Amino acid sequence: MTSPSSLFRPTYPNIPGSGHAIAVELERRIMIIDGAMGTMIQTHKLEEAEFKGEEFKDHPKSLKGNNDILNLTQPHIIYKIHKDYLEAGADIVETNTFNGTTVAQSDYGTQHLTYRINKEAAQIAKRACLEVQEATGIPRYVGGAMGPTNRTLSLSPSVEKPDYRNITFDELVSAYKEQARGLLDGKADILMVETIFDTANARAALFAIDQLFESDYEPLPVFISGTIVDKSGRTLSGQTTEAFVISVTHMRPMCLGLNCALGATEMRPFIQTVGRVTEAFTLCYPNAGLPNALGGYDETPEIMAAHLKSFAEDGFVNIVGGCCGSTPAHIRAIADAVKDIRPRMRPVNLYSDTLLLSGLEPMKINKFTNFVNIGERCNVAGSKRFCRLITSGKYEEALSVARLQVERGAQILDVNFDEGMLDGKSAMSRFLNFIGSEPDVSRVPLCIDSSKFEVIVAGLKCTQGKSIVNSISLKEGEQDFLDKARLIKRFGAAVVIMAFDEFGQATSIEQKVSVCSRSYQLLVDKVGFNPNDIIFDPNILTIATGMEEHNNYGINYIKATNIIKESLPGARVSGGLSNLSFSFRGMDAVREAMHGVFLYHAIQAGMDMGIVNAGNLPVYDDIPRDLLTMCENLLWNKDDSSTEKLLEYAQAMGKGAKKAIAGDEWRNRSVEERLEYSLVKGIDKFVVDDTAEARVNTDKYPKPLNIIEGPLMKGMSIVGDLFGSGKMFLPQVIKSARVMKKAVAYLVPFMEQARKEQEEKLRAQGLEITNESHYSGTIVLATVKGDVHDIGKNIVAVVLGCNNFRVIDLGVMTPCEKILTTAIKEKADVVGLSGLITPSLDEMVHVAREMEKAGMKIPLLIGGATTSKTHTAVKIAPHYSQTTIHVLDASKSVVVMSSLLDEFLCEELAEDIAEDYRDIREEYFDSLKDRRYLGLEEARAKSLKLNWTSYKPVQPRNLGVTALREYDLNRIVPYIDWKPFFDCVWGLRGKYPNRGYPRIFNDEQVGAEAKRVFNDAQALLNKIISEGLLKAHGVVALYPAFSVGDDIEVLSEDRSTTLAVLHGVRQQAEKDFAGDPYMCLADFIAPENSGVDDYVGMFAVSAGFGAEEMCRRLEAEHDVYNIIMVKALADRLAEAFAEELHERVRKEIWGYMAEESLEISDIHRTKYQGIRPAPAYPSQPDHTEKLTMWKLMEVEKQTGIALTESLAMTPAASVSGLYFAHPSSSYFAVGRVTKDQVIDYASRKEVTVADVEKNLFLGAVLAYDHENP
């Protein structure tokens, strides 16, 4: 089977000719698109006669305002406008065809002229392009403009009829097809679907274009540009920017962006979002500001150019230009402003492991996503109530069923109208139109479900988002399967594949895997389906039917799921859960127990999603033990009589099944147990009464807050544990949180009263009530953009507020910009981000990155149902240099906040978290089997790009070599970092907050022993210094230098001679974010051609001279303890020598930070400018680089520090490394490298490939098996 790796990326296809030329140019520079056509036409002040011209002087309708007709009546005016824009610097001019469809032209009675208008428009633009191209030698291109029309597929023009539409999908496809034909025949170079206010309209245009490219025309580049109508970041039809991008990406546009409606200032956050979520090039052509009171635009060319220049400098864009109100003067200013700025670097493999879906809001399903609930109740076959409402024509009432499903936790909505007496096509279209009118429902993606493919097609024509088709299969043969798959792909939908083939339904493990594998191969190799858009349903079949051959159906599904997930990259697994328990229909308690058991195991095997009744899934641990045992035996076929036993159990329960399971015995327990039970079960009936009972017990709960921190938090903690272990699903969590919210709401008035009383006491004492005196600290809390869930956040706000913290709650759907500006304005001490849905995870990463860019220095807390410690450590924390902490639940928030704001504990906590998260990241990346790597040249192209024009390196005060013989140990001792002494030498690790020195002495378990060994160390250290038992020697050298690619050339003092070359190794492991650089140490040194005189340093120090003699004497005395102590102290002194010398280099010897004044603790935390990486460490994993350093500095001659045959330093208590001074220099890990870099590195060093493979951490950093090629 062909490798699907290239299909994971929905980037633009390779288009020969002008398409390739445009793509190459876009990689090289920012291109310019023209400005407004309408603005320029208006300057001619044309009247009716000019619009009609001679040809249409007798036309029965007015043509004034029909700018497109001017292509036929005033072509010289249109030509001149194009030429003016081209001469102003435009690379691309759009045809004058914004309203060039039969739909728009019908208003003027000129729909029959549509093809001609478009063809001649393209020819006019082409003529202008060729003339300017010939004059300048610079290629110019024609963009065939395809506007949105004046109709909309997603919105009703009638308030009274929300399901009514004044245009159909097919009518739009026909209109766009005719327009595209004219543009293509007129020799347009690009097709531009632009000013999209309704994504459904755009999808119709893309559908038409795709048909033409398949049947009649060679493909051209496709550009897509949406329109965000206001600061909400949504289109007129309600989609968020990211949802819009997902909805059109299936066309693999070369360029994707935004235009119109907003000025550049207002468009900034939205074009930034586009650039963050697409692999296409980005284009941005905003209006010249917002319209003034008279409908005009006031931004001058200089102002507009300055805005777009900032977009370019921030790496947002590949093409810029203007829309309404812009003129050739604007385009000239814009072109001049961005001409020297690098274009945005497109992300690669942005969503290589993610299924992307969208309604009004985006949805991403990947390895970090919990089980996805597909709501099943909008199915005429699955819900009697829904069926009754639909068949009786009560569609608006039926919409409430959909709304309830979403409220109860359905993340995708399954819609099915397969009923014998129902017109499925009509019902599907009508109901989806109703859904489109209800934002609370249409925000989630749809699963369009039918056994009739024409009904599925009808549904696809009514959706603006990216949906799931459920389903197709091989049961009608390969050709039928391929035809349907190609059409689904053209609509841009994901697809569920049922495990059926020409021989029927797959029931065994082997059959399921075989059918799914065959389907996968056909979809990937013959249709070109993105593997991430493939979802398999290996058939959840009914068990406990009394027929022996059905007993293994559950086992077969689970085992097949595991094989499918391991063998078919990118594919997901789903299933309809209700089939499993069909034998017990009517016995809801038994059915739900079976579902809970099945899901618990199927999810562990890899099941990603399922069609379920959101809200009625049982918690695994809550199933009565006897019923759970029977369900387990039934599922795994462990007991031949399990079906009979379960049937007897169900019959014994009768109609009181649920009541028998959820009896009232728990009401006899203690109030604490009752509160916990209510939360875990999601029962809100008694929670207020029970909370009130607890409140009056002031001996046990002196403050209302104690109830929240006690039984309520304990109950929510149990919920969290169950959810995390897969024994409880999202709808139960939501129900539990609602119960919590109800209990907290009861307590809030009492807590507010207590606070008021406390304030009165302070006033009575003459104390002023201010933020500074009253609050322990300030936190800005927000549910991130794209997420409307705030229950958990609200609980955190209450808990923190009641613990004397000032809480600024920004609510839900909070844009990143608002979070940052509020935190800065309010001088927040901490920012807390919350989210319940998976897309929130990506938004949290985005916020962290923006906080880093803004230079913020406050901690970041992460919380919410989908968040995790692993995700925080791997995906969020690396993008923010300050402390980032995952807070498991509200009960932990007070402790974390208090520690972060405690000057003594905050650094300890930060170090503890950083160390923990570093271990998590290492474990995570080590566990990755399929890590992707960039080729060396691509990694170099994405290297760290520093601005050398604005940086002037400080010339070292002492160039050359400086030897440091018999260095005073008293200078070194204050710089000793004692933490490794306890951690690594003696294995004494205190627990937070007593981990570091000197707080380790307070630790209950290891404090006493730590104090003892420390006292021994001090005694021995004093003896070493007083008797001169250890000697310290060192050498430091500073040289002029420049970088050449990945290497650093070390120069003589006059820069006339290259003394040596330091070779660098570059990162190649693929980054999570496109903008993240692939680093090499050479990036921190100015390039040879930069014109900047830069420098590099190096050093070697040792405090181990004399250690060997001391150890020999102690060995003769069999004093093993002090042998270890001597080696440990020599090692600590050597590290301290390196630290103290580095400070001297920064302040004196080099002097680039002469005014530095840092505490020793800050030095240990590397809060200084510059780095000192060492060979054979993560930033340069080749230890042979020491040979170059030893030769340059004459290390052995100057200090006595030698290198062994294996290049270890002797004495062992020695440290060496390089010095880099640039403010942006930082430590990093090269990670694994591929064979192409090893070959290149060997060539640069003039050694064999085998030598390099041996020397790079002894092969540990190789991304391939060099021993078994």
Side-chain angles (χ1 to χ4, degrees):
M1 181 168 56
T2 302
S3 171
S5 59
S6 62
L7 293 166
F8 278 99
R9 290 191 282 162
T11 189
Y12 67 91
N14 185 19
I15 301 171
S18 63
H20 177 71
I22 293 169
V24 170
E25 197 67 3
L26 285 169
E27 295 280 7
R28 191 179 72 84
R29 67 181 176 91
I30 295 175
M31 296 183 75
I32 307 298
I33 195 169
D34 61 0
M37 174 62 70
T39 299
M40 297 307 296
I41 289 175
Q42 288 170 19
T43 64
H44 291 269
K45 298 181 179 179
L46 303 175
E47 296 298 331
E48 183 70 26
E50 284 100 333
F51 274 93
K52 285 190 172 182
E54 186 63 25
E55 181 176 354
F56 305 109
K57 62 182 180 181
D58 297 324
H59 189 74
K61 287 189 174 184
S62 172
L63 295 182
K64 186 177 181 180
N66 184 0
N67 289 347
D68 299 52
I69 203 72
L70 296 175
N71 294 308
L72 308 182
T73 61
Q74 305 292 336
H76 61 287
I77 292 177
I78 305 305
Y79 171 83
K80 180 65 166 56
I81 293 171
H82 286 321
K83 191 172 181 183
D84 288 347
Y85 277 121
L86 290 164
E87 289 176 343
D91 299 293
I92 301 166
V93 289
E94 289 188 72
T95 55
N96 180 34
T97 53
F98 184 81
N99 289 307
T101 59
T102 54
V103 175
Q105 287 299 309
S106 64
D107 290 346
Y108 299 98
T110 51
Q111 62 269 29
H112 60 290
L113 299 171
T114 298
Y115 173 84
R116 184 181 161 199
I117 287 171
N118 283 277
K119 182 178 180 182
E120 293 197 26
Q123 290 173 336
I124 294 168
K126 193 69 172 179
R127 183 157 47 91
C129 284
L130 291 174
E131 183 170 333
V132 176
Q133 179 176 320
E134 184 175 352
T136 62
I138 300 173
R140 310 299 174 104
Y141 303 97
V142 176
M146 301 174 69
T149 80
N150 52 3
R151 307 289 177 90
T152 170
L153 276 173
S154 296
L155 302 172
S156 172
S158 170
V159 176
E160 295 77 23
K161 298 179 179 179
D163 60 320
Y164 172 70
R165 301 293 183 268
N166 59 8
I167 191 86
T168 68
F169 183 91
D170 291 336
E171 288 168 346
L172 275 175
V173 169
S174 177
Y176 279 123
K177 190 178 289 187
E178 184 170 358
Q179 180 180 36
R181 283 188 187 278
L183 294 170
L184 292 167
D185 289 343
K187 305 305 178 185
D189 302 296
I190 302 161
L191 290 183
M192 297 187 62
V193 182
E194 61 154 5
T195 321
I196 299 163
F197 60 81
D198 182 353
T199 313
N201 286 31
R203 288 164 64 84
L206 299 175
F207 191 97
I209 292 169
D210 195 45
Q211 283 185 325
L212 290 176
F213 285 170
E214 182 185 67
S215 60
D216 301 325
Y217 296 89
E218 289 295 323
L220 292 181
V222 174
F223 288 9
I224 300 173
S225 183
T227 295
I228 301 302
V229 295
D230 57 36
K231 294 183 179 181
S232 70
R234 293 180 183 264
T235 63
L236 184 66
S237 57
Q239 274 199 315
T240 66
T241 307
E242 188 171 2
F244 158 73
V245 171
I246 291 172
S247 301
V248 298
T249 295
H250 66 280
M251 191 62 187
R252 300 173 72 193
M254 178 178 286
C255 214
L256 207 160
L258 301 173
N259 74 290
C260 203
L262 302 174
T265 301
E266 296 77 19
M267 194 178 286
R268 182 183 181 87
F270 312 128
I271 194 65
Q272 184 180 10
T273 295
V274 172
R276 184 165 52 86
V277 299
T278 182
E279 294 183 6
F281 297 104
T282 53
L283 77 162
C284 177
Y285 48 117
N287 293 343
L290 294 174
N292 57 33
L294 300 177
Y297 296 85
D298 298 328
E299 274 194 357
T300 64
E302 292 74 19
I303 293 174
M304 189 175 184
H307 290 320
L308 290 178
K309 181 180 181 181
S310 73
F311 287 15
E313 288 174 335
D314 287 338
F316 295 170
V317 293
N318 300 101
I319 300 177
V320 290
C323 201
C324 301
S326 60
T327 66
H330 288 83
I331 298 307
R332 182 175 288 105
I334 292 167
D336 185 66
V338 304
K339 64 182 179 182
D340 296 323
I341 302 174
R342 288 172 57 90
R344 162 185 169 270
M345 288 194 301
R346 294 184 303 107
V348 177
N349 287 337
L350 186 60
Y351 296 118
S352 60
D353 66 341
T354 304
L355 167 58
L356 299 174
L357 302 170
S358 62
L360 294 183
E361 298 170 5
M363 182 178 191
K364 301 169 190 172
I365 301 174
N366 55 34
K367 67 181 71 174
F368 295 107
T369 309
N370 289 319
F371 181 78
V372 175
N373 298 297
I374 304 176
E376 69 172 358
R377 307 312 287 172
C378 292
N379 185 327
V380 293
S383 168
K384 292 180 180 179
R385 178 170 180 255
F386 185 77
C387 183
R388 184 176 66 254
L389 293 170
I390 292 296
T391 53
S392 60
K394 298 179 180 179
Y395 281 76
E396 287 188 81
E397 194 174 341
L399 190 61
S400 66
V401 177
R403 188 183 300 108
L404 186 61
Q405 286 280 282
V406 175
E407 289 174 356
R408 289 183 172 180
Q411 294 141 290
I412 300 171
L413 198 63
D414 185 84
V415 184
N416 182 292
F417 295 91
D418 285 358
E419 207 278 333
M421 300 300 293
L422 198 63
D423 180 348
K425 288 175 62 176
S426 174
M428 178 69 78
S429 300
R430 188 179 178 195
F431 189 70
L432 293 192
N433 284 346
F434 270 105
I435 283 180
S437 70
E438 180 53 68
D440 289 341
V441 178
S442 56
R443 65 181 179 83
V444 303
L446 297 175
C447 180
I448 301 172
D449 185 352
S450 181
S451 58
K452 298 178 181 179
F453 193 68
E454 65 267 26
V455 176
I456 287 174
V457 172
L460 289 171
K461 292 177 179 179
C462 297
T463 59
Q464 64 172 324
K466 180 179 177 183
S467 305
I468 297 174
V469 165
N470 187 18
S471 60
I472 61 173
S473 73
L474 284 164
K475 65 181 179 182
E476 300 295 335
E478 282 191 7
Q479 193 57 52
D480 174 80
F481 178 82
L482 292 171
D483 291 343
K484 290 175 179 174
R486 290 188 177 104
L487 185 54
I488 292 167
K489 181 173 178 285
R490 180 165 288 153
F491 275 108
V495 64
V496 174
I497 308 299
M498 295 295 296
F500 285 77
D501 63 9
E502 300 88 340
F503 304 99
Q505 182 171 248
T507 57
S508 69
I509 299 170
E510 295 73 20
Q511 289 172 334
K512 292 174 189 287
V513 173
S514 174
V515 172
C516 291
S517 298
R518 178 185 167 203
S519 301
Y520 183 93
Q521 181 178 351
L522 291 169
L523 289 170
V524 171
D525 292 346
K526 293 193 175 183
V527 182
F529 235 93
N530 183 336
N532 287 306
D533 288 341
I534 301 172
I535 304 164
F536 288 109
D537 184 340
N539 304 328
I540 299 178
L541 303 174
T542 306
I543 59 176
T545 63
M547 300 175 65
E548 186 176 343
E549 59 268 31
H550 297 173
N551 291 350
N552 285 328
Y553 278 175
I555 299 172
N556 294 350
Y557 177 96
I558 291 170
K559 291 187 176 180
T561 292
N562 186 258
I563 296 170
I564 289 167
K565 291 301 293 291
E566 289 184 350
S567 61
L568 304 179
R572 269 73 189 174
V573 173
S574 182
L577 191 58
S578 62
N579 288 345
L580 180 82
S581 61
F582 191 72
S583 294
F584 293 91
R585 59 190 182 277
M587 303 291 182
D588 288 349
V590 172
R591 295 192 71 177
E592 289 166 15
M594 291 174 66
H595 296 166
V597 171
F598 180 85
L599 277 183
Y600 177 71
H601 295 291
I603 291 170
Q604 292 183 22
M607 186 181 182
D608 302 282
M609 60 189 76
I611 300 175
V612 300
N613 182 0
N616 284 332
L617 291 176
V619 177
Y620 181 88
D621 283 354
D622 285 346
I623 300 171
R625 186 56 51 188
D626 54 346
L627 178 57
L628 177 64
T629 300
M630 284 185 278
C631 290
E632 286 279 357
N633 289 340
L634 183 67
L635 174 62
W636 297 106
N637 196 17
K638 293 180 178 179
D639 182 352
D640 291 339
S641 61
S642 58
T643 299
E644 289 75 17
K645 290 178 180 177
L646 195 57
L647 182 60
E648 291 174 6
Y649 184 93
Q651 289 172 337
M653 291 168 60
K655 294 183 179 179
K658 287 196 173 184
K659 186 175 180 181
I661 287 181
D664 289 341
E665 295 84 0
W666 64 280
R667 296 301 302 157
N668 298 322
R669 301 174 187 172
S670 69
V671 67
E672 290 79 12
E673 290 175 308
R674 298 199 305 269
L675 285 170
E676 292 170 19
Y677 189 92
S678 292
L679 285 163
V680 174
K681 300 292 186 180
I683 300 170
D684 65 357
K685 182 178 179 181
F686 309 101
V687 72
V688 171
D689 292 341
D690 290 340
T691 305
E693 181 181 334
R695 187 184 66 81
V696 298
N697 187 354
T698 53
D699 291 337
K700 195 168 188 179
Y701 303 109
K703 297 186 294 184
L705 177 63
N706 301 140
I707 302 170
I708 295 176
E709 294 175 329
L712 292 179
M713 279 301 172
K714 185 177 179 183
M716 288 304 293
S717 179
I718 295 170
V719 170
D721 291 342
L722 291 171
F723 181 68
S725 64
K727 299 175 182 178
M728 193 172 185
F729 309 108
L730 189 58
Q732 289 83 52
V733 176
I734 293 173
K735 287 170 67 177
S736 297
R738 285 175 180 158
V739 176
M740 179 71 169
K741 189 173 185 179
K742 196 169 182 178
V744 171
Y746 167 78
L747 292 171
V748 164
F750 299 101
M751 291 188 287
E752 289 178 347
Q753 181 61 36
R755 170 169 288 177
K756 289 177 182 177
E757 292 173 359
Q758 178 64 21
E759 290 179 357
E760 289 301 323
K761 289 181 181 179
L762 291 174
R763 288 191 182 96
Q765 297 170 19
L767 299 175
E768 184 182 356
I769 307 301
T770 64
N771 287 347
E772 288 73 20
S773 65
H774 184 67
Y775 293 107
S776 302
T778 298
I779 182 170
V780 170
L781 283 179
T783 299
V784 296
K785 178 182 174 183
D787 201 328
V788 298
H789 300 92
D790 65 350
I791 297 169
K793 173 179 64 63
N794 291 347
I795 295 170
V796 171
V798 170
V799 172
L800 290 176
C802 295
N803 278 270
N804 209 35
F805 291 99
R806 178 178 173 230
V807 178
I808 301 171
D809 189 344
L810 299 182
V812 302
M813 295 286 288
T814 313
C816 172
E817 183 181 7
K818 184 176 181 181
I819 296 171
L820 270 61
T821 55
T822 303
I824 294 169
K825 177 183 176 183
E826 300 292 341
K827 298 180 180 179
D829 299 295
V830 177
V831 168
L833 303 180
S834 176
L836 186 69
I837 58 177
T838 306
S840 301
L841 300 177
D842 290 343
E843 184 63 21
M844 289 174 180
V845 175
H846 174 58
V847 173
R849 289 167 62 87
E850 291 304 304
M851 289 177 69
E852 180 70 14
K853 287 181 183 177
M856 298 179 72
K857 302 295 183 183
I858 60 177
L860 174 62
L861 303 187
I862 302 296
T866 58
T867 62
S868 68
K869 191 175 182 180
T870 298
H871 183 272
T872 302
V874 174
K875 297 291 186 177
I876 302 177
H879 296 288
Y880 187 48
S881 57
Q882 303 304 309
T883 304
T884 304
I885 305 177
H886 177 253
V887 182
L888 186 63
D889 56 50
S891 63
K892 307 294 190 298
S893 61
V894 174
V895 175
V896 173
M897 277 288 291
S898 299
S899 298
L900 288 173
L901 299 181
D902 185 302
E903 60 178 319
F904 300 106
L905 296 179
C906 61
E907 293 289 356
E908 189 79 15
L909 177 62
E911 290 179 10
D912 191 49
I913 292 294
E915 183 176 330
D916 187 22
Y917 284 12
R918 186 165 54 248
D919 293 343
I920 291 172
R921 283 193 293 274
E922 290 176 1
E923 183 179 349
Y924 171 80
F925 287 119
D926 286 345
S927 69
L928 290 180
K929 297 179 181 178
D930 300 318
R931 191 83 189 269
R932 293 187 177 87
Y933 298 87
L934 270 62
L936 178 59
E937 291 308 315
E938 187 178 0
R940 283 172 173 165
K942 297 180 177 181
S943 63
L944 178 68
K945 303 294 191 303
L946 298 177
N947 185 354
W948 296 106
T949 59
S950 62
Y951 173 67
K952 182 174 176 56
V954 175
Q955 180 175 337
R957 297 172 181 174
N958 299 304
L959 281 172
V961 179
T962 301
L964 305 163
R965 300 287 301 182
E966 297 201 18
Y967 207 73
D968 185 357
L969 294 185
N970 287 301
R971 295 188 62 163
I972 297 174
V973 170
Y975 291 82
I976 293 177
D977 181 359
W978 289 102
K979 189 172 186 296
F981 174 80
F982 297 113
D983 285 359
C984 305
V985 177
W986 301 108
L988 298 172
R989 292 176 178 265
K991 292 184 179 180
Y992 174 81
N994 297 316
R995 293 202 59 179
Y997 166 81
R999 282 191 292 274
I1000 190 173
F1001 301 145
N1002 299 325
D1003 189 84
E1004 291 183 2
Q1005 291 187 340
V1006 303
E1009 182 64 12
K1011 185 65 175 174
R1012 186 185 69 80
V1013 296
F1014 180 74
N1015 290 338
D1016 291 345
Q1018 293 300 303
L1020 183 56
L1021 185 58
N1022 290 333
K1023 181 179 180 180
I1024 288 171
I1025 295 173
S1026 63
E1027 298 180 15
L1029 299 176
L1030 292 181
K1031 303 291 184 184
H1033 307 308
V1035 61
V1036 59
L1038 302 173
Y1039 300 96
F1042 57 69
S1043 63
V1044 180
D1046 293 347
D1047 296 334
I1048 299 168
E1049 293 199 16
V1050 182
L1051 308 175
S1052 59
E1053 291 190 25
D1054 62 1
R1055 296 184 171 269
S1056 63
T1057 307
T1058 298
L1059 302 179
V1061 178
L1062 299 170
H1063 299 92
V1065 185
R1066 186 169 297 281
Q1067 294 174 321
Q1068 288 184 277
E1070 188 176 77
K1071 303 293 182 79
D1072 288 331
F1073 285 84
D1076 290 349
Y1078 292 75
M1079 299 173 72
C1080 173
L1081 287 175
D1083 295 343
F1084 303 137
I1085 300 294
E1088 179 181 15
N1089 59 2
S1090 67
V1092 176
D1093 290 342
D1094 208 351
Y1095 306 88
V1096 72
M1098 56 190 69
F1099 72 96
V1101 297
S1102 177
F1105 294 98
E1108 193 171 332
E1109 291 80 358
M1110 287 186 69
C1111 288
R1112 276 200 294 267
R1113 288 196 297 271
L1114 291 166
E1115 190 173 355
E1117 299 171 8
H1118 306 289
D1119 191 347
V1120 176
Y1121 175 75
N1122 274 307
I1123 290 173
I1124 296 173
M1125 188 69 79
V1126 167
K1127 292 179 178 179
L1129 288 174
D1131 178 70
R1132 288 297 86 215
L1133 286 168
E1135 291 288 351
F1137 191 178
E1139 200 74 87
E1140 190 272 347
L1141 180 58
H1142 193 189
E1143 183 185 45
R1144 282 192 63 193
V1145 166
R1146 296 192 301 273
K1147 297 170 71 172
E1148 303 169 20
I1149 301 173
W1150 190 333
Y1152 67 85
M1153 290 297 291
E1155 304 301 320
E1156 176 185 292
S1157 179
L1158 294 175
E1159 298 290 336
I1160 297 296
S1161 59
D1162 291 331
I1163 291 176
H1164 287 160
R1165 296 183 180 104
T1166 63
K1167 291 188 176 181
Y1168 45 76
Q1169 178 179 313
I1171 57 173
R1172 51 179 176 90
Y1177 279 80
S1179 296
Q1180 174 32 297
D1182 179 10
H1183 62 177
T1184 65
E1185 287 295 290
K1186 286 184 218 165
L1187 294 170
T1188 304
M1189 295 165 55
W1190 254 245
K1191 182 177 179 182
L1192 270 173
M1193 294 189 290
E1194 297 184 309
V1195 174
E1196 190 166 0
K1197 176 182 176 182
Q1198 298 282 5
T1199 67
I1201 306 171
L1203 294 175
T1204 67
E1205 186 177 340
S1206 61
L1207 299 182
M1209 292 178 287
T1210 180
S1214 301
V1215 180
S1216 65
L1218 303 175
Y1219 289 134
F1220 294 86
H1222 195 282
S1224 296
S1225 59
S1226 61
Y1227 294 103
F1228 62 90
V1230 167
R1232 296 184 184 276
V1233 298
T1234 60
K1235 188 70 173 278
D1236 63 341
Q1237 179 160 199
V1238 170
I1239 294 171
D1240 180 89
Y1241 189 76
S1243 174
R1244 282 155 40 212
K1245 290 200 68 157
E1246 298 182 349
V1247 297
T1248 67
V1249 170
D1251 286 337
V1252 172
E1253 290 174 334
K1254 180 180 73 174
N1255 293 331
L1256 288 176
F1257 275 174
L1258 301 178
V1261 301
L1262 301 178
Y1264 61 95
D1265 186 351
H1266 68 288
E1267 295 179 344
N1268 299 292

